[in-house]
Amino acid sequence: MEEGEDEDEGLDRGAQAQLQGKVLIFTICAAGIGGTFQYGYNISITNAPTTYIQTFINETWLERTGAPLESSVILLIWSFIVSVYSLGGLTGALIAGPMAIKLGRKTSLLLNNAFVIIAAILSGFSRMAKSFEMIMLGRFFTGINAGVSMNIQPMYLGESAPKKLRGAVTLTSASFTAFGLVLGQVVGLRELLGGEDSWPLLLASNVVPGLIQLIMLPWLPESPRYLLIDRGDKESCICALQRLRGSDDLTSELEEMLAEQAAIKGQRAKRPWELFRNPAVKWQLISIIVLSSAMQLCGNDSMYFYASYVFQEAGIPYNKIQYVIIGTGCCELITAVTCNAIIERVGRRLLILGGYSLMAIWAIVFMVALSQQNRISWMPYLSMACIFAYILSFGIGPAGVTGVLPTEIFDQLSRPAAYMICGSLLWSNLFVVGMAFPFIVEGLAHFCYLPFFTVCVCTSLYVGFFLPETKGKTFLEISEEFNKRNFKGQTCEKLWKGPQEIKSTML
């Protein structure tokens, strides 16, 4: 009888563990499909219909005024349509923190879909309404959606994942970005929605991932850390943990959260400017400023812009280049998935250090190849290889791990503000690099990647000398490690009490 009961208990535990895995997977997918997926998707879908939208702008103006626009004005309007996405992203990054604090992580992601629905309506009906201004406004709302999701999704996943899987789960944000990039490139093919008659549908197609998230995410739990530490709802926290962890022992995880809750009791969520005045987060703040800035200043996105030119120089027919460019997106997707698989073994620090170091090497090779492209017949192929290698190196570490770090190195009350700073830097630098890159190419010619090489080298040095490893550590242990640097040479109290001191308050 006892043996049968033991077998039944074993089956129950197995079923619970299986259910736990499913809930976590569904949480990752629901957050990702309407989250960072939208960022990658909405960057890539604008490439295919460029000519058609520019023609639409000119025809609309001609119909309104009776006079066509000059080509320089059309280019200026198109540049604004492209760049307004970054301005929307910056707006989204600034409102993401208050949303995460007041509404919660899950609710914020759900409400964020309102922006993409508005954007899809505006872009989808722009040709019917004969208004290119609707495309501009749609791109702005699309940017807001991306800015909010890129901050809140990794926060939500990092707070929901168990410690041993925290890095891999949070890193899925980068995988969904790369997946969105590739799918946008595929959907934008002329044979699908990238044709002259279907481009409004292409711009409006971003509503589909948003609707999928609205169907899936309501059934999944809110961040347990938010429920306990921000809202003080212990019962809901335990319920969310049980759904996410199954039959696992929750004692140690609850102890850690209760320790953090006890340490920050009576305090409110920090604002971004308060982090700059707080010596207890000095090196955490420096770290995210350096790494978030390097994400765009390293020139990875510029590689995508330069790809068409290099592929054309390599002798690839113009009508085939769109298919080769899909390969660049696939590179980032492959490395993002690979990074997910190895991050908990290799660690965060080594992936970032290795990624930027390799990028610096490929930047040198790329510049040499460009300078010799007209002299040596096989140099265009080396340039093409460098593009793939650069994107692979970026994807293996910096692309994903950078988004993991704010979750791990800041406490619950500082985390939303930290993500606001990260998001603001990311979108601002994306706008700056996008505007400056043509002038860099014109001024430096074949040595256009010299500024990006410098950024990669400086970032590698910073990571190598100043960034501690966070793999497998609790939020408390990570904070204590940073405190050694923040208060070096000073006598300071520990930021948190030990779990044993508050164990009696747990249950």
Side-chain angles (χ1 to χ4, degrees):
M1 188 69 176
E2 290 180 2
E3 185 178 339
E5 289 177 356
D6 290 341
E7 289 180 2
D8 289 340
E9 287 178 7
L11 290 173
D12 288 341
R13 284 195 296 270
Q16 287 177 345
Q18 191 175 15
L19 180 62
Q20 170 210 350
K22 287 181 179 178
V23 171
L24 187 58
I25 290 170
F26 278 127
T27 301
I28 293 168
C29 293
I33 196 64
T36 52
F37 174 90
Q38 294 278 30
Y39 170 66
Y41 187 78
N42 286 297
I43 279 182
S44 57
I45 60 172
T46 54
N47 294 329
T50 298
T51 304
Y52 305 130
I53 295 176
Q54 289 178 351
T55 303
F56 168 68
I57 292 169
N58 193 37
E59 290 174 350
T60 302
W61 190 263
L62 179 63
E63 188 174 333
R64 289 178 187 176
T65 65
L69 286 168
E70 294 182 8
S71 58
S72 59
V73 178
I74 295 173
L75 185 60
L76 180 64
I77 294 173
W78 171 247
S79 298
F80 186 74
I81 288 173
V82 173
S83 61
V84 78
Y85 180 66
S86 301
L87 299 179
L90 177 59
T91 304
L94 293 175
I95 66 173
M99 285 178 69
I101 295 166
K102 295 179 181 179
L103 304 175
R105 287 36 166 167
K106 187 179 86 168
T107 304
S108 295
L109 288 173
L110 287 170
L111 291 178
N112 188 38
N113 289 294
F115 296 117
V116 83
I117 292 171
I118 294 171
I121 293 171
L122 289 167
S123 299
F125 289 99
S126 58
R127 185 166 63 180
M128 187 181 298
K130 298 181 179 179
S131 171
F132 58 82
E133 294 86 354
M134 289 174 66
I135 302 176
M136 291 181 188
L137 198 55
R139 289 291 291 173
F140 180 75
F141 279 109
T142 302
I144 294 176
N145 171 270
V148 170
S149 62
M150 287 189 71
N151 279 12
I152 295 181
Q153 181 187 333
M155 197 187 312
Y156 172 54
L157 294 178
E159 293 176 1
S160 300
K163 181 179 67 174
K164 62 182 179 181
L165 296 175
R166 188 175 62 225
V169 169
T170 308
L171 196 61
T172 57
S173 300
S175 299
F176 275 99
T177 298
F179 179 45
L181 192 72
V182 174
L183 194 60
Q185 290 171 337
V186 172
V187 174
L189 291 172
R190 287 184 291 271
E191 295 83 350
L192 297 176
L193 295 181
E196 186 174 3
D197 297 325
S198 55
W199 63 262
L201 286 176
L202 176 63
L203 296 183
S205 62
N206 56 12
V207 75
V208 176
L211 294 176
I212 294 173
Q213 185 179 73
L214 285 172
I215 293 170
M216 292 178 63
L217 194 57
W219 303 99
L220 298 163
E222 175 59 277
S223 156
R225 301 186 74 86
Y226 171 79
L227 291 170
L228 179 65
I229 300 174
D230 289 78
R231 287 177 47 183
D233 190 345
K234 187 176 178 181
E235 291 183 6
S236 296
C237 169
I238 293 173
C239 181
L241 275 175
Q242 287 174 337
R243 289 190 64 193
L244 289 164
R245 307 288 185 265
S247 58
D248 287 351
D249 183 11
L250 307 177
T251 304
S252 61
E253 194 164 359
L254 273 172
E255 283 182 355
E256 183 204 343
M257 283 192 280
L258 285 166
E260 187 172 353
Q261 183 192 38
I264 61 178
K265 189 174 182 179
Q267 300 180 42
R268 58 168 175 76
K270 301 294 188 293
R271 296 181 174 89
W273 55 87
E274 291 176 332
L275 297 187
F276 288 93
R277 298 199 301 258
N278 185 0
V281 295
K282 175 184 174 183
W283 281 99
Q284 291 95 314
L285 191 61
I286 292 172
S287 296
I288 65 164
I289 288 173
V290 170
L291 295 175
S292 297
S293 299
M295 276 280 287
Q296 295 300 338
L297 298 180
C298 70
N300 181 72
D301 287 344
S302 300
M303 272 289 184
Y304 286 107
F305 299 139
Y306 217 61
S308 295
Y309 164 75
V310 174
F311 293 152
Q312 196 169 351
E313 288 294 312
I316 296 172
Y318 179 76
N319 61 339
K320 301 294 182 183
I321 288 177
Q322 62 173 346
Y323 304 105
V324 180
I325 288 177
I326 292 175
T328 61
C330 290
C331 282
E332 193 162 330
L333 177 59
I334 291 168
T335 51
V337 173
T338 303
C339 191
N340 267 104
I342 65 174
I343 186 172
E344 296 300 346
R345 297 179 182 178
V346 178
R348 287 69 158 147
R349 185 170 173 270
L350 184 58
L351 286 174
I352 299 177
L353 180 60
Y356 280 118
S357 299
L358 287 172
M359 288 165 71
I361 294 171
W362 295 123
I364 293 175
V365 178
F366 185 56
M367 288 186 288
V368 171
L370 285 178
S371 66
Q372 300 300 314
Q373 205 154 250
N374 296 325
R375 300 179 183 178
I376 303 174
S377 60
W378 51 267
M379 275 297 171
Y381 298 98
L382 180 59
S383 301
M384 189 166 63
C386 284
I387 287 178
F388 284 101
Y390 201 87
I391 293 170
L392 284 167
S393 302
F394 180 75
I396 199 64
V401 181
T402 304
V404 175
L405 289 176
T407 295
E408 296 189 325
I409 67 179
F410 285 91
D411 64 31
Q412 192 75 10
L413 296 183
S414 301
R415 196 170 295 130
Y419 268 106
M420 287 175 66
I421 294 170
C422 288
S424 300
L425 288 169
L426 187 148
W427 289 101
S428 300
N429 287 319
L430 177 63
F431 180 78
V432 169
V433 172
M435 295 296 289
F437 187 69
F439 299 100
I440 293 173
V441 173
E442 185 178 350
L444 298 178
H446 300 314
F447 300 100
C448 58
Y449 257 68
L450 191 59
F452 306 132
F453 163 78
T454 305
V455 169
C456 291
V457 170
C458 292
T459 307
S460 299
L461 291 172
Y462 178 84
V463 172
F465 286 106
F466 299 109
L467 187 70
E469 179 57 68
T470 58
K471 180 187 73 171
K473 297 177 182 176
T474 67
F475 292 111
L476 307 178
E477 291 168 342
I478 294 168
S479 178
E480 288 175 359
E481 188 158 351
F482 269 102
N483 277 344
K484 293 175 184 176
R485 189 176 294 277
N486 290 328
F487 298 103
K488 190 174 182 180
Q490 300 178 33
T491 303
C492 66
E493 295 179 350
K494 286 187 177 181
L495 189 57
W496 280 295
K497 299 173 185 178
Q500 295 301 322
E501 295 180 43
I502 50 85
K503 189 172 182 180
S504 60
T505 67
M506 191 187 70
L507 296 171

